[in-house]
Amino acid sequence: MKKMAEMDRKEFTNYITETYGTYADFPFMQYPDFAVFRHANNKKWFAVIMDIPKSKLGLKDEGIISIMNLKCDPILVGSLRSETGIFPAYHMNKTNWISVALDGSVDSEKIKWLIDISFGLTAVKIKNKEIPNENPEF
């Protein structure tokens, strides 16, 4: 099972790098394998890949699991957490973040979709500028 998690970790790291042009940052000396992905312009995190004890997710199994924390629309969080392999976020705000198991229990395409959502939710917000009305009579 560990090999599957490592393959997924590499697959998603490559997906993020190729799609968003950002590379993993490893900011925690204490946890050198915790990979943080940030926006280049605002430095906000949109994904964190880490290996944690399964017990931290409420799993009864012993051992370590690779997960990815992703920001998510609070409207989706409840329904997503009812699915196999998706948990309340480890060490993050559980209203806005989820932890996704990278053990093969969640489809790769679904994880990529969730990465895309997280990236969008953490991106720089563009404010609407007033657009001058070309026909002021209307």
Side-chain angles (χ1 to χ4, degrees):
M1 184 94 92
K2 181 68 175 164
K3 284 194 175 200
M4 173 60 94
E6 287 175 1
M7 283 177 31
D8 285 345
R9 186 179 180 122
K10 288 177 187 172
E11 175 186 352
F12 298 120
T13 296
N14 290 340
Y15 174 77
I16 291 168
T17 299
E18 291 169 8
T19 304
Y20 300 110
T22 187
Y23 295 89
D25 180 17
F26 299 90
F28 307 109
M29 290 181 65
Q30 186 177 353
Y31 303 103
D33 293 332
F34 282 24
V36 174
F37 295 89
R38 310 170 191 253
H39 288 270
N41 54 5
N42 66 9
K43 303 299 182 204
K44 285 188 179 181
W45 298 12
F46 64 91
V48 183
I49 299 176
M50 58 191 125
D51 296 331
I52 63 169
K54 290 181 178 182
S55 62
K56 298 287 185 184
L57 298 175
L59 299 172
K60 298 191 187 312
D61 298 341
E62 291 185 24
I64 302 295
I65 187 169
S66 290
I67 63 165
M68 183 184 307
N69 278 357
L70 298 165
K71 189 159 189 179
C72 191
D73 187 320
I75 294 170
L76 295 174
V77 168
S79 61
L80 286 170
R81 289 192 331 208
S82 68
E83 296 180 23
T84 301
I86 300 179
F87 303 90
Y90 169 70
H91 216 312
M92 300 288 267
N93 178 309
K94 290 164 182 29
T95 302
N96 299 304
W97 290 79
I98 55 174
S99 289
V100 180
L102 301 181
D103 62 356
S105 62
V106 180
D107 181 70
S108 292
E109 291 305 310
K110 180 168 228 158
I111 295 174
K112 290 175 183 176
W113 176 71
L114 291 168
I115 292 168
D116 296 342
I117 289 172
S118 185
F119 185 85
L121 289 171
T122 54
V124 172
K125 305 295 183 245
I126 299 172
K127 295 182 180 178
N128 291 335
K129 294 182 179 180
E130 285 189 33
I131 300 172
N133 189 347
E134 292 179 12
N135 291 323
E137 299 91 47
F138 295 106

